[in-house]
Amino acid sequence: MSEQEKEVTKAAQSAEEEADAAEEVIEEEGLEEDTERESSKKESFEEEVSEEISSGGEASGESQGGEAPMSWAEKKAAKKQAKLDKKTDVYKEQIEQLEDKVKRQLAEFENFRNRSEKEKHAMFETGAKSVIEKILPVVDNFERGLATVPEEKQEDPFVDGMNRVYKQLLTELENIGVKPIEALGQEFDPNLHNAVMQTESEEYESGVVAQELQKGYTYRDSVVRHSMVSVTI
């Protein structure tokens, strides 16, 4: 190799080495720039996080009297609890509405049962009075028939038998609540007595029942038939 060729080769090698060195410098400078950028981003992110935490702490302190800021998990738990409380309130309201509806239905049923009992009792009373009104003429006929029996025939077996039947009939009527109305010698009461005539009497004062023409009866304190009477003037 000639001297000229050696110098050219040497110059080429020197240029190549300088190029490699320059490339290494460029790479190092690029890494440093990347590192600086990452570091700058990291510092900026940390500052933002720090400001957010600081502002959150100040807001929490203002609203809660200086208490420590809530963590993310605590906030999530609080939000979940708020939703649960809201659902609970809705369920409670629905339960109260259902309870109120049931109470009103029970009250309506109780009123219906009371009305039914009163109607049934009234129907029974009406039916009983109707039967008693039909039996009273039989009692009147017994009394009229026994009143015509002469004194000497009072011990007659037939008369004694009729008298026993009459007394048994009165006893059974009394057992179901039928009682005769007191009239003779009592002050006239339009609620109990039916005055069909007036008469003069030295025995009774004015306005007093002097004669009972037909006996009246009550059934459980209600009048079934008024007494037909004559009142003194």
Side-chain angles (χ1 to χ4, degrees):
M1 181 180 296
S2 63
E3 290 295 332
Q4 188 177 1
E5 290 177 354
K6 288 180 180 181
E7 288 179 2
V8 172
T9 302
K10 187 177 181 181
Q13 289 177 352
S14 177
E16 187 177 354
E17 289 175 359
E18 288 178 0
D20 292 338
E23 187 176 353
E24 290 178 0
V25 171
I26 291 171
E27 289 179 356
E28 289 178 358
E29 289 179 355
L31 290 174
E32 289 178 357
E33 289 178 359
D34 292 339
T35 302
E36 289 177 358
R37 283 196 297 269
E38 293 294 330
S39 178
S40 178
K41 289 182 181 179
K42 183 178 180 181
E43 289 176 358
S44 177
F45 177 74
E46 289 177 351
E47 288 177 358
E48 290 177 359
V49 172
S50 177
E51 289 177 358
E52 183 177 357
I53 293 174
S54 177
S55 61
E58 290 175 358
S60 177
E62 291 175 359
S63 60
Q64 300 182 7
E67 295 180 0
M70 296 175 63
S71 65
W72 179 82
E74 290 174 341
K75 289 181 180 179
K76 185 176 181 181
K79 188 175 181 181
K80 185 176 180 181
Q81 185 64 37
K83 291 182 179 179
L84 183 62
D85 293 340
K86 187 175 181 181
K87 288 184 179 179
T88 303
D89 293 338
V90 172
Y91 293 150
K92 286 182 178 179
E93 184 178 356
Q94 291 178 350
I95 290 172
E96 290 176 357
Q97 292 177 354
L98 291 174
E99 289 179 348
D100 181 67
K101 185 177 180 180
V102 170
K103 288 179 180 178
R104 283 189 281 105
Q105 289 179 344
L106 289 175
E108 291 176 358
F109 176 76
E110 186 67 21
N111 293 334
F112 169 76
R113 186 173 64 178
N114 292 335
R115 287 196 305 270
S116 299
E117 289 292 332
K118 289 181 180 179
E119 291 174 357
K120 183 171 67 175
H121 181 72
M123 292 175 63
F124 177 81
E125 294 294 315
T126 301
K129 286 182 179 180
S130 177
V131 173
I132 292 168
E133 288 175 354
K134 293 178 181 179
I135 293 176
L136 292 180
V138 178
V139 176
D140 295 338
N141 290 332
F142 266 106
E143 292 176 346
R144 293 191 189 100
L146 292 173
T148 60
V149 177
E151 186 67 27
E152 63 273 10
K153 292 186 178 181
Q154 291 290 334
E155 300 299 329
D156 188 84
F158 177 77
V159 175
D160 182 64
M162 291 296 99
N163 195 24
R164 289 176 182 275
V165 173
Y166 166 69
K167 290 180 179 179
Q168 183 180 7
L169 182 58
L170 291 181
T171 300
E172 294 301 326
L173 288 174
E174 185 177 358
N175 289 337
I176 64 174
V178 179
K179 296 180 181 180
I181 298 174
E182 294 184 8
L184 190 62
Q186 300 294 320
E187 185 177 357
F188 175 75
D189 184 354
N191 296 319
L192 302 174
H193 308 136
N194 181 22
V196 295
M197 60 184 295
Q198 291 180 329
T199 184
E200 294 181 357
S201 176
E202 297 179 356
E203 184 179 359
Y204 300 108
E205 297 178 356
S206 176
V208 176
V209 177
Q211 186 180 5
E212 185 179 50
L213 304 176
Q214 188 181 52
K215 188 176 294 185
Y217 292 88
T218 60
Y219 171 66
R220 294 183 180 178
D221 299 328
S222 63
V223 177
V224 178
R225 188 177 73 181
H226 291 76
S227 297
M228 189 180 297
V229 300
S230 174
V231 183
T232 57
I233 301 174

